[in-house]
Amino acid sequence: MPEGPSIVILREAASVFAGECVREVGGNSRLDLARMQGLRIHAVRSWGKHFLLQFEDFSLRVHLMLFGSYRIDERKDTAARLSLRFDNGELNLYACSLKYIEDDLDLAYDWSGDVMSDAWSPRAARLKLKDHPTMRVCDALLQQSIFAGVGNIIKNEVLFRIRLHPESSVGALPPRKLTELIREARNYSFDFLAWKKTFVLKKHWLVYTKSVCPRCRIPLHRAHLGITHRRSFYCGRCQIRHDG
């Protein structure tokens, strides 16, 4: 599943279509795609894992889910879920979820919760976390209402970076460790973005899909943890567990 930084890359690439009129619409989605025909895109935006095309009276939300992908000015052999053609190119989206948002995007989204946004608020994240003292940190990082854009790769790498066991409970974290968690969720997301743009992301993975702790040189634990049962890779020695 593409994480927030990958959606930022999509947003930046698709920004060439902001201000352009949709000349032709196609795709196999059950959504009323013809609604976009002839309309002008006012803005290309993103929030967390959501890619957003804003029209005058509504917006299109695109979620790439687990296996979604996109092509700009080229096509895959498989059928597109949505194809939009403009005077200056085309945008093709595959295996994704599409939904119209009728509300103003500033009402529909809490931009302070997007780790990649200029409006990101560490204070707001802290207050949200304090409302869930029994939540495990492996679940908290994946909670999009708190850390929009953070996915499983970022989760694993952030927890290793700050030496925190994934099953630690939020309420048991010392204040400084909570600050680290919030700070590094954003920091690592921007590192992810830079590495992804230069095609070296996997070279920087320290624990994700790895077998040995690069600090302790002992085998890493692998388990499906938390309420989402997402894969976790962690060191039983240097990642400290905090329980309430």
Side-chain angles (χ1 to χ4, degrees):
M1 179 185 294
E3 305 191 24
S6 296
I7 302 303
V8 169
I9 292 174
L10 167 56
R11 183 193 75 205
E12 292 176 349
S15 65
V16 295
F17 302 125
E20 294 294 318
C21 184
V22 177
R23 298 302 184 189
E24 189 176 344
V25 181
N28 60 15
S29 173
R30 295 181 179 179
L31 198 67
D32 177 19
L33 301 180
R35 182 180 183 184
M36 295 178 280
Q37 180 77 42
L39 299 183
R40 191 173 303 279
I41 293 181
H42 283 234
V44 177
R45 306 175 72 177
S46 66
W47 179 88
K49 300 178 184 181
H50 294 178
F51 173 62
L52 303 163
L53 296 177
Q54 185 175 344
F55 296 90
E56 183 176 1
D57 298 319
F58 66 94
S59 297
L60 176 71
R61 187 205 75 182
V62 180
H63 194 308
L64 294 180
M65 309 297 284
L66 286 174
F67 305 109
S69 61
Y70 65 92
R71 295 289 187 274
I72 293 178
D73 296 337
E74 60 178 354
R75 304 174 188 179
K76 296 174 66 173
D77 292 333
T78 56
R81 188 63 45 82
L82 171 65
S83 292
L84 297 175
R85 296 175 184 84
F86 309 88
D87 289 336
N88 65 339
E90 63 181 80
L91 171 63
N92 297 299
L93 300 160
Y94 302 87
C96 57
S97 170
L98 305 177
K99 180 182 178 180
Y100 288 129
I101 297 176
E102 306 298 337
D103 292 333
D104 186 292
L105 290 181
D106 290 333
L107 297 176
Y109 287 102
D110 173 13
W111 303 103
S112 72
D114 181 354
V115 296
M116 305 297 295
S117 173
D118 290 341
W120 162 253
S121 170
R123 182 177 180 275
R126 195 180 199 96
L127 292 173
K128 293 172 188 175
L129 287 169
K130 287 186 174 182
D131 284 338
H132 301 280
T134 62
M135 183 182 288
R136 300 299 179 187
V137 293
C138 61
D139 290 322
L141 280 170
L142 295 178
Q143 180 60 250
Q144 297 302 291
S145 63
I146 304 175
F147 296 106
V150 169
N152 207 43
I153 296 172
I154 296 173
K155 177 202 79 177
N156 279 282
E157 294 295 316
V158 165
L159 292 177
F160 181 74
R161 182 179 276 193
I162 66 174
R163 299 173 180 254
L164 184 60
H165 193 287
E167 291 189 297
S168 299
S169 57
V170 169
L173 298 183
R176 288 186 180 180
K177 188 59 66 174
L178 187 62
T179 298
E180 277 188 276
L181 179 71
I182 296 168
R183 181 181 65 238
E184 292 307 318
R186 179 171 169 87
N187 287 347
Y188 190 87
S189 294
F190 278 94
D191 288 342
F192 184 122
L193 177 64
W195 295 330
K196 183 82 172 177
K197 285 184 173 181
T198 53
F199 308 102
V200 295
L201 175 62
K202 290 185 179 181
K203 293 181 180 179
H204 289 274
W205 288 350
L206 297 177
V207 291
Y208 188 70
T209 73
K210 305 298 182 181
S211 300
V212 177
C213 174
R215 278 196 291 253
C216 303
R217 302 298 176 186
I218 62 174
L220 289 169
H221 293 282
R222 297 184 177 204
H224 291 80
L225 303 178
I227 58 175
T228 58
H229 300 289
R230 299 297 301 278
R231 288 194 302 169
S232 289
F233 303 84
Y234 62 96
C235 179
R237 179 182 293 172
C238 65
Q239 289 182 249
I240 308 304
R241 182 166 179 164
H242 297 265
D243 282 317

